Structure formats: C-alpha cells, structure tokens
Amino acid sequence: MPPRSSPSARSGASYFPPNDSATYRDLLLFEERLKTNAANLKRRKHKYQLFLFQLLFVIAFLLCEVILPPHISILAIPYKFVLQRILPAVYTAEVDVYVHPYLSTGLLFVSVTTLLLFFASGMYSEKIGYANK
C-alpha cells in the first residue's frame, strides 16, 4: 500500500488558520473559557480543602472528648447552654449537665467514616487533586 500524503502536501494550503477577526475572536473566547474553568476548579478545590480541614478538626476535637475523663467535657458547655435556653426552670446555672459518652463516640465514628469515604470514593483526587493539575 502506498504511503499517505498529508493534506497540506496535497492541497498546498497552509496548516495555520487564516488571520482574520473571526479566528481572533474564537481564540479570545477559548482563552476566556480556560480562565473561567481554572477559576472554577480553584474555587472548588478551596471549598473541599476547607471541608477536609474542618473534618480533621472535628475528629481531633471528638478524639479529645473520647480520651479525656467524662467530667472534663467540652461538649457539655454548649449542651448546657442550649438546655438552659429551652428549659430555664429545670436547668439553672447550678445544675451540672453531662453528655452521654456514647454521643461523642458515635460522632467520632461518623466523622472518621466520612473521612475514609472522602478518600476511598476518590473524591479527594477528583475535587482537589484534579485542580492541582
């Protein structure tokens, strides 16, 4: 079979597009689309990085809640505040409020599972890693 000849060799035409205003406009639109896509990827990357850092902070906080003794509970402070706002006659300032230990353990389990699914599902490489490319 004889070798194929390239189209430019056959027709003698130039490989480059014509230098007119339509081509220039198309290049400007293409460049603007690239810039917009890059900005969207960067914004999405920052959003998912914020989610990841918040998730790591929550895991560290809940790990401290689980490891520390039950009488030193940071979760009890907002819990007591909410209960005092809802039922002020029952929960006065002198009443000690304790959070059930399974609550912080359960929240820690949910947070760690979310972190594992974030990496195992490929969301990290899709949302954050792809934006770095």
Side-chain angles (χ1 to χ4, degrees):
M1 182 176 269
R4 293 187 215 173
S5 61
S6 66
S8 62
R10 281 185 278 157
S11 64
S14 152
Y15 175 74
F16 298 103
N19 192 7
D20 59 352
S21 62
T23 305
Y24 181 70
R25 188 192 79 227
D26 289 345
L27 285 174
L28 286 177
L29 289 173
F30 179 69
E31 182 183 10
E32 185 62 32
R33 198 172 336 135
L34 284 177
K35 287 180 183 178
T36 305
N37 287 343
N40 288 340
L41 284 173
K42 189 174 183 180
R43 193 173 332 117
R44 186 172 69 176
K45 173 186 162 188
H46 288 300
K47 182 176 75 170
Y48 280 97
Q49 280 180 335
L50 178 66
F51 169 73
L52 182 62
F53 291 137
Q54 286 177 344
L55 188 60
L56 291 174
F57 175 75
V58 166
I59 288 173
F61 173 74
L62 290 171
L63 192 61
C64 290
E65 282 289 319
V66 169
I67 292 175
L68 290 177
H71 65 275
I72 305 174
S73 177
I74 302 171
L75 275 178
I77 297 169
Y79 185 57
K80 182 177 181 178
F81 178 75
V82 169
L83 288 176
Q84 285 177 344
R85 295 290 176 205
I86 295 173
L87 301 168
V90 178
Y91 293 99
T92 60
E94 296 82 29
V95 175
D96 288 333
V97 177
Y98 296 105
V99 177
H100 197 281
Y102 290 155
L103 179 69
S104 56
T105 306
L107 289 173
L108 178 64
F109 177 73
V110 168
S111 301
V112 169
T113 304
T114 304
L115 181 69
L116 290 175
L117 288 175
F118 183 73
F119 285 105
S121 68
M123 190 177 290
Y124 176 80
S125 61
E126 177 186 338
K127 305 291 185 185
I128 296 175
Y130 182 73
N132 288 334
K133 289 182 183 179

